Amino acid sequence: MSNSLAIAAVTSTLRHMMDGELGGGINVTTLPPDRARNGQNGNQINLFLYHVEVSGAWRNGRMPLQTRPSEPAEPPLGLNLRYLLTAYGQADDDVSAHEILGRAMLCLHDRPVLNREEIRGALNGNDLGDQVERVRLTPQALSLEETSKMWTAFQVNYRISAAYEAAVVLIESARTTPRPLPVLTRGKADHGVYVYASMLPPYPTLFEVEIPRKQPSVRPGDIITLRGHELGGDDLEVFLQHRRWEEAKKADGVMGGTDDAIRLLIPAGALPAGIYSVHSKVKPRDQEFPRESNDVTFALAPEIMSKTVNRVGDVATLEIEVSPPVLKAQKVELLLGSRPLPPTDRDDPRKLKFRITGAKAGDKHWIRVRVDGVDSHLVTDYDQPVPSFDSKYEVKIP
């Protein structure tokens, strides 16, 4: 494994290697092509790192010998480095440049794997030479189109060049992972693995939330039933997560449960309206540690507690009291029949005001309040053969 000096270590190693092989009469540089020849007129070979890409082979891999197979590990940053080798002759003589390019390419051909000792001596503080994978040099064939685009990006006249890839360079992740202690026993009395002759999973699982009266959402004060299996045991807990909360909260209204059901009271006015996810946590009777179930969702509806409407001309003001209180971050609107209306006053989280234009005396409207996409209840009971609207949610313009 290597540290963040790995890229510079490869460049320095290649420069020192060619500097030693080509002799003192040839200057080895690592400059961009547009600055490689500035102030120079002698024999020169320029090595430019023009592209760095992430190695797909090491994207999700782990370094051998760093962690045990059973331990979590952060994958290293694997990189493939692309270099462009360009030669310049004395007084820009092309024949000399071609000779220098041939000698440089032969140097890389004869030494396709970077030597560990040369890597260590090329740059102080680098440990690239200690990584498990060796850094190998491979010639790259560039098409005419790729070459044209590259030199256009350099904004300099084209020179005959050769491209190489140095791979793979592994940079160790700075994040640490836990190293668990060895396992001494496998459960109580070292019983090992349990075998269940069932197609169902052997841990607590929730299937659905059963809402009273076949309503589409839960009203404050309702008792809901969480259906599933393997829900019985000791220390039963239920946790609720609202999208406006940072973390799940333990529910206080657990009314007991069996292996296939848990009854939960949703307290009136205590929880904000909206979409909830719910999961249980229980310690199975034959196991040592508690287990958490999966999440299921339900919608908690706001409730219209009272309403007051006043009219001045053709504009009416409707004030409603809602429960639970509406959070400032929540999106709220009134549905006047099928017409959505935004609130004009939200200073009091329990009382909302709405402005109705085009109001006429005697007009009647069914109203619902929608909070974070969940509507207040309008239908009395879906269990009835013919459901009907609840008359207390009808507004008459005075």
Side-chain angles (χ1 to χ4, degrees):
M1 192 70 74
S2 52
N3 55 29
S4 56
L5 297 175
I7 298 176
V10 174
T11 304
S12 297
T13 302
L14 293 174
R15 179 177 181 177
H16 283 78
M17 185 173 68
M18 286 191 293
D19 197 28
E21 289 289 326
L22 301 181
I26 300 175
N27 187 25
V28 182
T29 57
T30 56
L31 298 170
D34 61 322
R35 296 195 294 117
R37 207 59 175 156
N38 288 354
Q40 300 191 48
N41 197 34
N43 294 327
Q44 180 185 355
I45 190 77
N46 188 64
L47 183 71
F48 175 60
L49 176 62
Y50 70 91
H51 184 63
V52 178
E53 66 180 9
V54 176
S55 171
W58 286 92
R59 188 71 180 230
N60 296 310
R62 63 164 66 207
M63 282 299 297
L65 307 179
Q66 297 294 321
T67 58
R68 296 173 61 86
S70 59
E71 295 177 345
E74 292 293 336
L77 174 61
L79 301 175
N80 299 336
L81 312 182
R82 301 285 181 85
Y83 288 91
L84 190 69
L85 198 63
T86 309
Y88 303 88
Q90 180 78 32
D92 291 332
D93 179 60
D94 282 344
V95 175
S96 299
H98 298 168
E99 178 186 353
I100 295 169
L101 181 62
R103 291 175 60 186
M105 293 180 66
L106 179 62
C107 172
L108 299 182
H109 173 78
D110 288 341
R111 304 174 70 176
V113 180
L114 297 190
N115 183 278
R116 296 184 186 275
E117 293 300 325
E118 289 183 342
I119 294 174
R120 295 188 185 100
L123 183 66
N124 291 333
N126 92 87
D127 53 2
L128 178 64
D130 297 330
Q131 75 173 23
V132 175
E133 282 282 329
R134 304 292 296 275
V135 180
R136 291 170 170 80
L137 304 175
T138 307
Q140 300 294 300
L142 300 179
S143 66
L144 185 60
E145 180 181 4
E146 290 173 326
T147 303
S148 176
K149 289 181 178 179
M150 185 184 302
W151 285 92
T152 301
F154 295 154
Q155 297 184 353
V156 66
N157 292 332
Y158 170 75
R159 298 283 304 183
I160 190 70
S161 304
Y164 286 84
E165 180 184 74
V168 60
V169 175
L170 301 175
I171 301 178
E172 186 173 5
S173 174
R175 294 193 296 182
T176 58
T177 54
R179 303 290 187 264
L181 294 170
V183 175
L184 300 181
T185 59
R186 299 163 298 167
K188 282 186 178 181
D190 196 23
H191 53 65
V193 178
Y194 284 105
V195 178
Y196 291 84
S198 173
M199 295 295 291
L200 296 174
Y203 39 81
T205 304
L206 295 177
F207 295 148
E208 62 177 351
V209 178
E210 186 178 287
I211 301 174
R213 302 177 301 280
K214 298 181 181 179
Q215 292 281 6
S217 57
V218 180
R219 281 181 172 176
D222 278 347
I223 298 175
I224 63 175
T225 304
L226 308 178
R227 298 288 183 185
H229 75 95
E230 301 292 337
L231 302 177
D234 302 323
D235 304 327
L236 174 63
E237 295 177 322
V238 175
F239 294 88
L240 298 173
Q241 175 68 66
H242 190 277
R243 64 186 293 256
R244 304 291 181 179
W245 295 346
E246 293 294 332
E247 57 185 20
K249 297 182 180 180
K250 182 180 176 181
D252 296 327
V254 179
M255 303 179 66
T258 62
D259 284 344
D260 58 3
I262 299 173
R263 299 178 73 234
L264 177 66
L265 171 66
I266 303 299
L271 300 174
I275 304 298
Y276 283 83
S277 62
V278 56
H279 71 270
S280 65
K281 184 178 181 181
V282 64
K283 179 182 176 183
R285 297 181 181 90
D286 58 348
Q287 297 187 23
E288 187 176 356
F289 301 103
R291 290 184 177 271
E292 292 189 3
S293 72
N294 59 304
D295 285 279
V296 290
T297 61
F298 68 89
L300 177 59
E303 190 170 9
I304 298 176
M305 307 302 294
S306 65
K307 59 186 184 299
T308 304
V309 59
N310 297 297
R311 182 179 64 87
V312 178
D314 62 349
V315 177
T317 300
L318 174 63
E319 181 178 314
I320 63 172
E321 181 181 353
V322 295
S323 178
V326 179
L327 303 178
K328 282 192 174 295
Q330 290 186 298
K331 182 178 179 181
V332 59
E333 60 183 358
L334 176 75
L335 302 180
L336 187 75
S338 59
R339 177 183 171 189
L341 297 175
T344 58
D345 187 351
R346 292 185 59 179
D347 292 339
D348 188 340
R350 294 183 179 274
K351 294 182 179 180
L352 305 172
K353 292 182 179 180
F354 300 90
R355 185 172 181 267
I356 305 173
T357 58
K360 297 180 181 179
D363 285 352
K364 295 181 179 181
H365 304 278
W366 297 106
I367 62 170
R368 294 161 290 161
V369 62
R370 176 172 293 178
V371 178
D372 275 353
V374 183
D375 293 355
S376 61
H377 286 204
L378 181 59
V379 177
T380 53
D381 194 343
Y382 281 95
D383 273 336
Q384 298 298 321
V386 181
S388 60
F389 292 156
D390 193 333
S391 60
K392 67 181 181 181
Y393 301 124
E394 185 180 41
V395 168
K396 182 178 179 180
I397 304 297

